[in-house]
Amino acid sequence: MRPIALLAALALATALTACGKSERSAVSLEVNGDIANESATITCKESTTGTCHVLFQTGTTTKRASAAAGASTTVAGLPAGTSFCGGYTPPELASCKPIVLLSGHQVIRHERTVRN
C-alpha cells in the first residue's frame, strides 16, 4: 500500500471514531444501614459527577443526602421500613425504584453509556 493511501485510511478511521464518541455516567455507592439506631452511612465509591446522591423515604417523609466521591456521610432518623434509591444525580421518587433499607451493607451501581 502506498504511504499516502495508508495515511488517508488512517485519517478516515480516526474521523469515523471521533463521530462515534460516547458519554459515560456511573455511580457506585454503599449504604450501611443500622436499623437499631435508625441511621445509615453512605459511602461514595465512584461518581462521574463527583457526588453520590441518596433519597430516603419513610411513609410521606423524604430525606436527601449526598457524599463526595471517596467520602462518607451518616443520616439519622431512618426508622424500620425506610426505603432508598441513589444515583450520580439527585434521584426523584417518580423515576427511581426504591429498595428497603436493611441492617448491613447494600451496594448500588448504575452505569449508562450514551453514544453521540
Side-chain angles (χ1 to χ4, degrees):
M1 187 179 258
R2 294 183 182 178
I4 203 121
L6 182 59
L7 287 174
L10 183 58
L12 179 61
T14 302
L16 291 175
T17 302
C19 291
K21 287 186 179 182
S22 61
E23 185 176 309
R24 177 180 174 262
S25 298
V27 68
S28 176
L29 65 96
E30 184 177 282
V31 177
N32 187 14
D34 184 350
I35 301 301
N37 290 311
E38 296 189 346
S39 66
T41 299
I42 302 161
T43 302
C44 183
K45 305 289 188 179
E46 174 197 10
S47 176
T48 52
T49 62
T51 306
C52 296
H53 301 272
V54 179
L55 172 68
F56 294 96
Q57 180 186 20
T58 307
T60 59
T61 303
T62 59
K63 288 187 178 189
R64 293 183 179 275
S66 59
S72 297
T73 189
T74 300
V75 180
L78 304 173
T82 296
S83 57
F84 71 97
C85 49
Y88 48 84
T89 59
E92 297 298 331
L93 283 175
S95 60
C96 75
K97 296 178 182 173
I99 57 175
V100 176
L101 178 65
L102 303 173
S103 286
H105 298 282
Q106 293 173 272
V107 176
I108 293 180
R109 287 190 188 101
H110 297 290
E111 185 167 347
R112 187 179 93 187
T113 302
V114 177
R115 301 213 188 273
N116 298 331

